[in-house]
Amino acid sequence: MIPLLIEKLRSVLPADRSFIALHEPNFQGHEWDYVKECLDTGWVSSVGKYVDLFEQQLAAYTGVHHAVAVVNGTAALHISLLLVGVEAGDEVLMPTLTFIATANAVTYCGAIPHFVDSEERTLGLDPRKLDAYLAEIAEVRGDGCFNKQTGRRIKAVVPMHTFGHPVDLDPLLDLCERYQLELVEDAAESLGSFYKGKHTGGFGRIAALSFNGNKVITTGGGGAILTNDPGLAQRAKHLTTTAKVPHKWEYNHDAVGYNYRLPNLNAALGCAQLEQLPGFLEQKRALAQHYQEALQDMAGLTFVTEPDFATSNYWLNAIVLDEAQAQLRDELLKATNEQGIMTRPFWTGMHKLPMFAQCPRMDLAVAESLERRTINIPSSTFLGGRHDEA
């Protein structure tokens, strides 16, 4: 299998590169011009026209009423959780198969991650299995939902749209209504992904995006809070600006705030990247199609495609080995990386990390299986052309 997989990958990837990264940024637009304008005018910090413009363009693209630009996706999640009322001692439901930022943001609130299983078709949180689990361990009272086993309040659920593939949100929204849970979308990886025609990040009261250097578009480091609630948006902007009360010269603050606002320099980069987003998405979907065609007849693995209810941005392409081939994962990772084709495994399940090992969790059989069998393959936007026709 290993030589054949490398051959299949090489049939899709450019032959003139000795090393192909997992996901590189693509700067082919007005990045230099916009960043230079910031340098020339001196507007480089968290105030400037590009911050405002970036927020406006993000809101317009995603279809939400408000976007608040912040320094990274973790900060966006942290503030989002605070704004929906997550408090110290609360439990927050999330997939164990997620980037550590999801669990870290919950911990920053003094709350406790509660790990949930995934489903194979989306690689994300399984709403039906979660529903059955909550029927056993949760109790809804007048003041919220409580874990009968720990006595703690379960305040929110954070679905993460894995590799850009949307979670099945309708049954999750129904679950949240019945169990009085706040839905906070971790849409860090899903800019350009749609669930039943609606952009991810607009289904709960609040959501988080990320613009790290390896995302579909990048601001270097950066993130955003999305919401349709004007009050939440105003509060998000206030808290991320150190909760400073507006005044021409005085420094008064009315809450514990955070220095989380995105600098104008980074927002300038983001504006240039957003202009190219439709083209990036087209290229990424083309790359996914090339992979699907190359790998469709290969025994022992499956190329991950978007679920039938969604349109994915295909942020990171992935293959899932059959259970019988799972033992080959590490050999495949070693061989591909030695051949200059950067691949990586799924994240380690959060419940396996020492700081989260004692957190509550449901049966995680599917997530543990997916962790053993999943490999990400190169996914940069500029790889979407047919290199064998060059």
Side-chain angles (χ1 to χ4, degrees):
M1 171 186 273
I2 295 175
L4 180 58
L5 177 60
I6 291 174
E7 178 185 335
K8 296 280 190 182
L9 294 179
R10 288 206 179 281
S11 73
V12 173
L13 300 171
D16 60 346
R17 286 175 170 250
S18 59
F19 174 76
I20 301 171
L22 191 68
H23 199 295
E24 296 181 61
N26 190 352
F27 302 126
Q28 300 293 327
H30 293 103
E31 289 87 353
W32 282 103
D33 298 332
Y34 295 169
V35 170
K36 186 176 186 303
E37 181 183 338
C38 295
L39 298 174
D40 289 344
T41 60
W43 291 96
V44 297
S45 193
S46 58
V47 177
K49 78 171 190 180
Y50 285 111
V51 178
D52 297 335
L53 183 60
F54 188 51
E55 291 176 335
Q56 293 164 12
Q57 292 176 341
L58 275 176
Y61 180 81
T62 57
V64 301
H65 294 159
H66 306 279
V68 179
V70 294
V71 292
N72 52 53
T74 310
L77 270 175
H78 179 202
I79 296 299
S80 295
L81 291 163
L82 290 177
L83 288 174
V84 298
V86 172
E87 299 176 353
D90 286 344
E91 294 180 9
V92 176
L93 300 161
M94 70 179 67
T96 190
L97 282 183
T98 185
F99 182 56
I100 197 169
T102 316
N104 281 346
V106 170
T107 307
Y108 298 164
C109 299
I112 297 134
H114 188 148
F115 299 120
V116 175
D117 205 9
S118 298
E119 61 174 334
E120 191 145 349
R121 66 172 176 163
T122 67
L123 305 182
L125 182 151
D126 187 333
R128 292 164 187 84
K129 190 171 180 181
L130 175 58
D131 198 351
Y133 174 65
L134 289 176
E136 295 179 4
I137 66 103
E139 178 183 10
V140 178
R141 307 174 192 163
D143 54 347
C145 178
F146 288 81
N147 186 335
K148 292 186 291 186
Q149 298 174 346
T150 66
R152 294 187 290 253
R153 181 175 68 162
I154 306 175
K155 179 61 179 177
V157 57
V158 185
M160 193 274 293
H161 301 301
T162 310
F163 309 147
H165 300 300
V167 167
D168 194 357
L169 287 163
D170 279 346
L172 188 58
L173 287 165
D174 175 68
L175 178 156
C176 287
E177 183 177 359
R178 287 186 286 111
Y179 286 96
Q180 300 182 20
L181 300 172
E182 293 284 357
L183 178 70
V184 178
E185 281 181 82
D186 184 347
E189 301 171 4
S190 64
L191 181 67
S193 295
F194 294 79
Y195 177 79
K196 297 184 178 180
K198 181 178 178 180
H199 198 283
T200 55
F203 289 86
R205 292 174 63 204
I206 202 162
L209 292 174
S210 171
F211 308 109
N212 188 34
N214 65 351
K215 295 300 190 294
V216 178
I217 70 165
T218 184
T219 57
I225 298 163
L226 302 180
T227 183
N228 289 310
D229 185 324
L232 286 183
Q234 183 178 21
R235 189 65 177 165
K237 187 168 287 190
H238 183 61
L239 287 179
T240 57
T241 317
T242 67
K244 184 178 182 297
V245 179
H247 192 279
K248 287 186 177 181
W249 59 81
E250 290 185 353
Y251 286 89
N252 290 318
H253 306 259
D254 60 7
V256 174
Y258 304 87
N259 190 15
Y260 278 177
R261 287 289 276 160
L262 185 72
N264 199 49
L265 267 174
N266 299 79
L269 192 64
C271 287
Q273 289 271 285
L274 264 178
E275 292 171 354
Q276 301 165 80
L277 179 58
F280 288 167
L281 293 172
E282 183 178 340
Q283 289 173 287
K284 290 184 77 61
R285 291 187 66 82
L287 176 61
Q289 182 63 35
H290 300 332
Y291 277 136
Q292 188 174 1
E293 292 169 356
L295 298 170
Q296 62 183 349
D297 296 326
M298 187 168 176
L301 60 81
T302 301
F303 176 75
V304 177
T305 57
E306 64 197 4
D308 56 9
F309 50 68
T311 302
S312 176
N313 66 7
Y314 284 97
W315 170 55
L316 280 186
N317 291 294
I319 57 173
V320 179
L321 301 173
D322 295 351
E323 279 286 1
Q325 307 297 330
Q327 77 281 359
L328 293 177
R329 189 200 71 168
D330 290 350
E331 292 180 55
L332 283 165
L333 289 166
K334 183 174 185 292
T336 49
N337 280 281
E338 286 179 348
Q339 289 290 317
I341 300 172
M342 187 176 176
T343 58
R344 78 172 194 196
F346 227 134
W347 304 289
T348 300
M350 294 296 102
H351 68 288
K352 296 181 178 179
L353 300 178
M355 57 282 201
F356 301 128
Q358 302 306 311
C359 291
R361 61 180 184 263
M362 64 185 293
D363 170 72
L364 302 172
V366 176
E368 290 177 339
S369 173
L370 286 169
E371 181 190 340
R372 292 195 307 270
R373 299 185 289 125
T374 304
I375 295 175
N376 289 121
I377 55 181
S379 302
S380 301
T381 55
F382 54 81
L383 298 175
R386 286 304 301 194
H387 307 287
D388 56 357
E389 297 172 0

